[in-house]
Amino acid sequence: MISIVVMVYLFYPFLIAMKLSYALLSIFFLCFSLNICAQSTYTISGRVIEPDNKALPYVNILLLNAADSTLVKGTVTTEGGTYELKSIPEGEYRILASMLGYRSVYSKSFQLRSNYQVETITLVSGEALNEVVVRADKPLYQQKVDRMVINVENSIVSSGGSALEILERSPGVIVNKQSNSISIVGKDGVVVMINGKRSYVPVASLVQMLEGMSADNISSIELITTPPANFDAEGNAGFINIVLKERTDLGLNGSYSFSGGYGNGETTSDNINFNYREDKINFFGSYSFLLDRRDQLFRTSREFEQEGDLLGTFTETTRDPNQRNHNVRLGFDYQITKKTVTGILLNGYDNRWSMDAFNESLDSENGSPSSYVDLVNDEVNHWKHFGANYNIKHNFKDDEFVSFDIDYLYYDDDNPTNYANSFFDENRVFLNEELLRSGKETSLSTWVSKLDYSKQLTKDLKVETGLKGTFSEFDNKVGVENLIGNTWVFDADLTNTSALNERVLATYLASDYNIGKNTSVKLGLRYEFTDTKLDTDTQGTVVDREYGIFFPSAFVNHKFNDNFSMNLSYSKRITRPTFNDLAPFVIFFDPTTFLSGNAALQPAISNSVKYDINYKSYIFSLQYTNEDESIANFQERIDEATGRLIFEAANLDYTKTFSITAGFPLKLFKWWRTQNNLNYVDQKVRAFYNDEPIELSLGNFTANTTHSFKISEKTSGEASFFYTSAGFFGTARYDEVYRVNLGMQHKFNDKWGTLKFAVNDLFDSFEFNGGTDLPEQNIRTRNLFDFGNRTYTLTYTRNFGNSKVKSARDRQTGAEEERRRVN
């Protein structure tokens, strides 16, 4: 039980939560003249025997949806041949029973409206003990109450790719590599989790980390746009949860894959994962390696008026990058008792990105060339990370548990760059050369502790509460030096050392309540207190903030029948400035264009309402978000005194986003199925440039369609198409973009694995073109960022070890049941 001290600490938020609950319930009852609030769950039980009526233990029991045979949950029979599947919602199901050496048997379909006893299943020995292999593929996209689930392991074109490439193809997700940002339905501020645990990876290395994560080691990706109260309040757009593959079989088992590809440079993504389970012990791990040497192309241009003259700069950059990533993950779980499980998880990576680039820059005055600059630079960005987690969970009963986590995370970045600038006059006559070098050394350490408690108070009421503390220290050293004569001299304006300390303390209270058979409500209230201080050696204390904010959330679900349901949700969120954006730093693109930090950034607060309608596998959603002080990355600003173009994160006045999302499958033929996702975003942005207000609005349409073809029993194909129309990136407007991917796979027998071939970006069309056009504010820019090209990839995947799902004994409580469960 939670101690008295904890209960006293939670008492004040509890009173507010109760008042909020009554208010929200009143609103929902007023909006819906329904019975409002959630569906009940039930238990399915049964028994499996042999023809002589002898109980049959260790039989695989799979609960399948009757409509499409997708897997809902799984377990195994006990020594007495019995089984139970708990917490199953209403619906139409059937049971599949299978075991090595026996013929598989399906039960009759049944409607679940109360606890249900399945008729006894009799398994008969098969021929020559042939193994029965059961495959129940999930659809590529699944809409749940609070999230969209993308079942990556069922996608052919994802094979051999990275987690980042999967996100780029996900409905409503936009990845912007030049600013290292990810947005969902037009909103920035995404928080990334791995297996339900927040990664706390610095935004500067987020895209690099996801590029180094092999898609072949990912089971699914969850897009959670309106998170409940037990999630951190951080992130306007919500959470992306990356679920890694996990095996539940006894003994040693795992899988490995190798891939090779080419597209204006070679690329490979290889991984291996394993799991060893025996009695009370479970040991698991994975390793992945990525190498990417595909060329990149950037173009930037700008124009502004100065003393009656029109000045302009155009720069083209050819980049020859080399990215090498190692990722390791090791874990150990131990079942102390039937009700208590503890575990340790270690993870780390060593990601090194290096680049040689050639930049050609042209300066013009009133349309005529005034000078040229050739810039040759080499850069290294080397991130290292180590993380450790300890967890213990105790189940008092099947419906009551307490869990405790403590995490330590350490990140280190070394980012040196050398520049050689050659200057020419308007006739391309050489004038002089300048040498410049910069360095950025960053270290970040974070401690996180978390305590959660959950109890089913009554049949219809469940409560959850918890505490969390996050403590971070960030050190950043930036140096810019010019070679004058034979001496390197620091540029005082661009050199500094900064140190940031931040603590975030949080508590939450949430309740799930069923009203009637078809309606449920989930209400939550979270409180977070933030204390941030940033000191620099040049300006002293530049950030010193303390603030506490309540974050309410509410979810309503009503089920009209087995095929038709609706959800309504509300949440309040916060997006804090990243450590890297707050810390002063500089990265040069050319002598007059660079990326910089912004210590003046303020946190952004958003309020979001979402309404979903689900009919069978059809999805329709409406969402509105109002965010104040929105943080927009990679915003353009021209320093008229120096003519420099500066890219930096900046606060907007507000961003108002309305989105419509629709998803629907189509079965065109028996061998041809499609999944289609459409998204429309209408966005209004208000910002200030040189203290002058700017108001912009734009509608953006995104389409993502995936076609699956069954060529034969062992051969299949896949084609996917992605399109997004012009859209905002802060105050910048970027053009439409599209991409087509093709893939084919052949499954050999279980001993020899699967071979997949994919072509990503078939027409080499995926590039970002856009800029800012604000003549009243004297700024016009136009940019192109092409980070990739058409790539051909061949991937081989194979499983190894024991693949028979079998348990040494019946385990009804603790983490083992959760590990066996298949969602």
Side-chain angles (χ1 to χ4, degrees):
M1 282 291 205
I2 293 183
S3 67
I4 295 175
V5 174
V6 172
M7 295 306 294
V8 170
Y9 182 76
L10 295 173
F11 185 67
Y12 179 63
F14 177 80
L15 291 177
I16 296 177
M18 288 298 98
K19 293 180 180 180
L20 178 68
S21 301
Y22 289 129
L24 289 171
L25 277 174
S26 300
I27 293 172
F28 291 139
F29 276 117
L30 185 64
C31 294
F32 303 96
S33 54
L34 305 167
N35 264 351
I36 298 201
C37 296
Q39 50 185 325
S40 300
T41 60
Y42 305 103
T43 297
I44 299 172
S45 57
R47 188 167 183 258
V48 181
I49 61 174
E50 295 187 83
D52 59 1
N53 206 33
K54 183 180 178 181
L56 196 56
Y58 313 133
V59 177
N60 301 322
I61 300 296
L62 303 180
L63 179 65
L64 309 177
N65 276 313
D68 56 9
S69 293
T70 54
L71 198 56
V72 177
K73 199 170 187 180
T75 188
V76 294
T77 58
T78 66
E79 292 284 354
T82 62
Y83 62 88
E84 277 192 347
L85 295 161
K86 296 183 178 181
S87 302
I88 308 300
E90 290 186 3
E92 185 176 2
Y93 303 101
R94 60 176 175 169
I95 293 290
L96 171 61
S98 67
M99 189 177 182
L100 178 65
Y102 293 82
R103 296 193 183 105
S104 298
V105 173
Y106 289 90
S107 73
K108 295 178 181 178
S109 298
F110 56 89
Q111 288 286 345
L112 184 66
R113 294 194 175 93
S114 62
N115 292 339
Y116 186 82
Q117 178 77 27
V118 180
E119 61 184 12
T120 299
I121 295 175
T122 302
L123 293 189
V124 180
S125 296
E127 297 178 359
L129 295 181
N130 287 331
E131 181 177 356
V132 176
V133 179
V134 179
R135 294 187 179 92
D137 290 338
K138 300 177 185 177
L140 183 59
Y141 298 99
Q142 287 180 297
Q143 178 66 50
K144 296 189 176 182
V145 173
D146 60 349
R147 66 196 65 189
M148 164 79 77
V149 180
I150 306 165
N151 293 304
V152 175
E153 57 189 339
N154 293 334
S155 173
I156 299 173
V157 298
S158 296
S159 183
S162 67
L164 191 71
E165 291 172 331
I166 296 169
L167 287 178
E168 288 178 324
R169 295 193 289 266
S170 300
V173 177
I174 300 294
V175 176
N176 195 313
K177 291 184 180 179
Q178 70 263 31
S179 65
N180 288 323
S181 68
I182 302 172
S183 66
I184 301 179
V185 292
K187 298 184 296 180
D188 293 325
V190 172
V191 176
V192 174
M193 299 190 301
I194 298 175
N195 284 354
K197 296 183 182 295
R198 185 173 172 181
S199 67
Y200 291 96
V201 61
V203 171
S205 67
L206 175 60
V207 168
Q208 188 176 350
M209 180 195 77
L210 294 174
E211 279 186 312
M213 185 178 293
S214 172
D216 297 315
N217 201 28
I218 297 173
S219 173
S220 63
I221 291 180
E222 301 174 344
L223 308 180
I224 309 169
T225 55
T226 51
N230 57 324
F231 282 68
D232 288 352
E234 176 74 22
N236 168 41
F239 286 76
I240 294 175
N241 184 29
I242 300 173
V243 181
L244 302 179
K245 290 180 180 178
E246 184 174 332
R247 301 292 296 267
T248 60
D249 313 335
L250 281 181
L252 176 66
N253 53 68
S255 66
Y256 58 86
S257 70
F258 301 100
S259 73
Y262 188 84
N264 285 351
E266 61 271 21
T267 180
T268 183
S269 177
D270 312 306
N271 77 89
I272 184 171
N273 64 81
F274 73 91
N275 187 89
Y276 177 77
R277 181 185 299 276
E278 193 67 42
D279 195 25
K280 296 182 178 182
I281 295 174
N282 185 37
F283 181 54
F284 57 92
S286 64
Y287 166 76
S288 64
F289 171 76
L290 175 135
L291 181 66
D292 191 347
R293 293 174 174 166
R294 289 175 290 181
D295 295 342
Q296 300 173 349
L297 176 66
F298 291 2
R299 294 192 183 103
T300 63
S301 65
R302 60 186 178 273
E303 288 184 343
F304 65 99
E305 293 185 3
Q306 188 179 66
E307 298 178 355
D309 294 320
L310 181 64
L311 305 182
T313 299
F314 172 81
T315 302
E316 179 171 294
T317 303
T318 303
R319 296 158 59 112
D320 183 16
N322 187 336
Q323 182 169 340
R324 185 270 300 150
N325 295 351
H326 297 281
N327 288 268
V328 179
R329 180 173 175 264
L330 292 173
F332 176 81
D333 289 333
Y334 180 71
Q335 192 85 31
I336 301 173
T337 68
K338 289 184 177 182
K339 294 186 176 183
T340 306
V341 63
T342 187
I344 297 174
L345 178 65
L346 305 176
N347 61 82
Y349 61 70
D350 185 302
N351 296 347
R352 188 180 190 274
W353 182 87
S354 60
M355 174 197 69
D356 294 320
F358 179 69
N359 309 266
E360 292 182 287
S361 182
L362 164 65
D363 292 332
S364 64
E365 185 173 333
N366 299 319
S368 300
S370 58
S371 64
Y372 295 87
V373 179
D374 288 349
L375 185 153
V376 178
N377 70 290
D378 59 85
E379 179 182 357
V380 173
N381 194 3
H382 193 176
W383 279 95
K384 298 177 182 178
H385 162 63
F386 170 77
N389 165 265
Y390 171 74
N391 168 268
I392 185 168
K393 180 180 179 182
H394 178 72
N395 285 56
F396 299 99
K397 303 175 183 177
D398 287 349
D399 55 7
E400 181 183 9
F401 73 85
V402 62
S403 68
F404 174 74
D405 284 84
I406 186 166
D407 292 79
Y408 173 72
L409 305 163
Y410 178 76
Y411 297 90
D412 180 79
D413 179 40
D414 187 15
N415 186 199
T417 310
N418 298 299
Y419 306 88
N421 304 317
S422 299
F423 295 88
F424 303 83
D425 66 13
E426 68 276 12
N427 297 314
R428 266 284 183 180
V429 176
F430 177 76
L431 298 176
N432 65 293
E433 183 180 59
E434 293 182 359
L435 299 180
L436 179 148
R437 67 186 183 190
S438 68
K440 184 167 78 76
E441 298 177 3
T442 304
S443 64
L444 169 65
S445 60
T446 299
W447 285 94
V448 184
S449 60
K450 185 166 71 81
L451 180 69
D452 295 289
Y453 173 76
S454 175
K455 180 177 177 59
Q456 190 80 32
L457 292 178
T458 68
K459 176 184 175 182
D460 294 317
L461 178 61
K462 176 184 175 183
V463 295
E464 297 174 307
T465 189
L467 300 168
K468 185 174 183 179
T470 305
F471 307 88
S472 301
E473 293 183 356
F474 174 87
D475 293 307
N476 195 61
K477 297 179 181 179
V478 177
V480 177
E481 300 173 88
N482 293 281
L483 184 63
I484 300 176
N486 294 318
T487 305
W488 287 100
V489 179
F490 280 102
D491 186 326
D493 293 332
L494 301 175
T495 300
N496 67 72
T497 300
S498 57
L500 183 143
N501 288 275
E502 181 176 87
R503 60 190 177 110
V504 179
L505 306 177
T507 181
Y508 74 89
L509 179 67
S511 64
D512 291 65
Y513 187 60
N514 297 333
I515 302 177
K517 293 179 61 176
N518 296 325
T519 309
S520 66
V521 159
K522 182 170 185 174
L523 300 173
L525 183 66
R526 187 180 185 91
Y527 176 78
E528 291 192 356
F529 172 80
T530 305
D531 180 10
T532 305
K533 187 175 182 180
L534 174 64
D535 296 310
T536 70
D537 62 342
T538 55
Q539 298 173 277
T541 300
V542 293
V543 177
D544 191 359
R545 301 180 190 137
E546 290 186 7
Y547 54 91
I549 303 175
F550 285 95
F551 298 93
S553 62
F555 300 82
V556 178
N557 171 264
H558 182 77
K559 186 174 182 181
F560 297 95
N561 55 48
D562 291 341
N563 296 320
F564 185 32
S565 65
M566 72 88 187
N567 308 303
L568 178 66
S569 60
Y570 161 79
S571 66
K572 181 178 180 179
R573 314 288 302 159
I574 185 173
T575 301
R576 299 179 180 90
T578 68
F579 298 146
N580 203 65
D581 284 338
L582 282 174
F585 71 95
V586 62
I587 297 176
F588 283 91
F589 294 151
D590 61 56
T592 60
T593 307
F594 59 83
L595 177 66
S596 175
N598 182 2
L601 284 175
Q602 299 292 320
I605 303 293
S606 65
N607 290 273
S608 182
V609 178
K610 187 181 182 188
Y611 178 66
D612 302 299
I613 297 176
N614 301 317
Y615 177 71
K616 293 184 177 179
S617 297
Y618 299 88
I619 304 162
F620 181 77
S621 299
L622 302 174
Q623 186 169 6
Y624 176 76
T625 302
N626 185 6
E627 184 179 40
D628 294 322
E629 297 288 342
S630 309
I631 299 175
N633 293 296
F634 220 68
Q635 296 305 286
E636 299 159 324
R637 174 172 63 86
I638 292 180
D639 185 341
E640 296 185 17
T642 62
R644 284 174 168 172
L645 174 62
I646 302 169
F647 292 94
E648 63 183 3
N651 285 110
L652 310 179
D653 187 20
Y654 64 72
T655 302
K656 297 180 179 181
T657 306
F658 172 73
S659 65
I660 303 173
T661 301
F664 54 94
L666 288 177
K667 184 178 180 181
L668 302 179
F669 299 97
K670 184 178 180 180
W671 51 272
W672 183 358
R673 295 174 180 267
T674 74
Q675 173 64 43
N676 308 280
N677 294 283
L678 308 175
N679 183 255
Y680 175 77
V681 176
D682 183 78
Q683 202 164 61
K684 293 180 173 58
V685 175
R686 189 173 192 268
F688 291 91
Y689 187 85
N690 291 337
D691 297 325
E692 293 292 327
I694 304 168
E695 293 189 9
L696 303 170
S697 62
L698 183 67
N700 169 260
F701 172 74
T702 300
N704 191 320
T705 178
T706 301
H707 298 250
S708 300
F709 310 95
K710 185 176 181 180
I711 301 171
S712 69
E713 286 300 319
K714 294 186 176 182
T715 305
S716 58
E718 184 176 303
S720 67
F721 172 78
F722 170 83
Y723 168 83
T724 183
S725 65
F728 280 138
F729 187 57
T731 58
R733 182 183 187 275
Y734 277 79
D735 300 342
E736 63 183 18
V737 64
Y738 73 94
R739 176 167 55 189
V740 176
N741 300 319
L742 301 176
M744 181 174 290
Q745 77 170 12
H746 180 77
K747 294 182 178 180
F748 304 101
N749 57 39
D750 291 335
K751 183 179 179 181
W752 294 108
T754 301
L755 186 66
K756 301 179 182 180
F757 175 73
V759 183
N760 288 311
D761 199 6
L762 178 65
F763 300 108
D764 197 14
S765 56
F766 197 71
E767 59 186 33
F768 293 93
N769 286 279
T772 302
D773 187 9
L774 302 172
E776 296 83 0
Q777 282 72 37
N778 194 23
I779 177 172
R780 299 182 189 88
T781 67
R782 185 70 182 174
N783 310 306
L784 176 146
F785 300 98
D786 187 359
F787 288 93
N789 37 66
R790 181 189 305 109
T791 303
Y792 304 89
T793 305
L794 187 66
T795 303
Y796 175 72
T797 304
R798 184 180 178 183
N799 296 328
F800 63 84
N802 179 24
S803 60
K804 288 82 176 175
V805 181
K806 183 175 179 180
S807 177
R809 58 188 173 88
D810 185 30
R811 293 168 179 168
Q812 300 298 326
T813 61
E816 290 300 320
E817 181 178 280
E818 296 174 1
R819 293 192 185 98
R820 285 203 306 265
R821 187 173 63 235
V822 182
N823 292 320

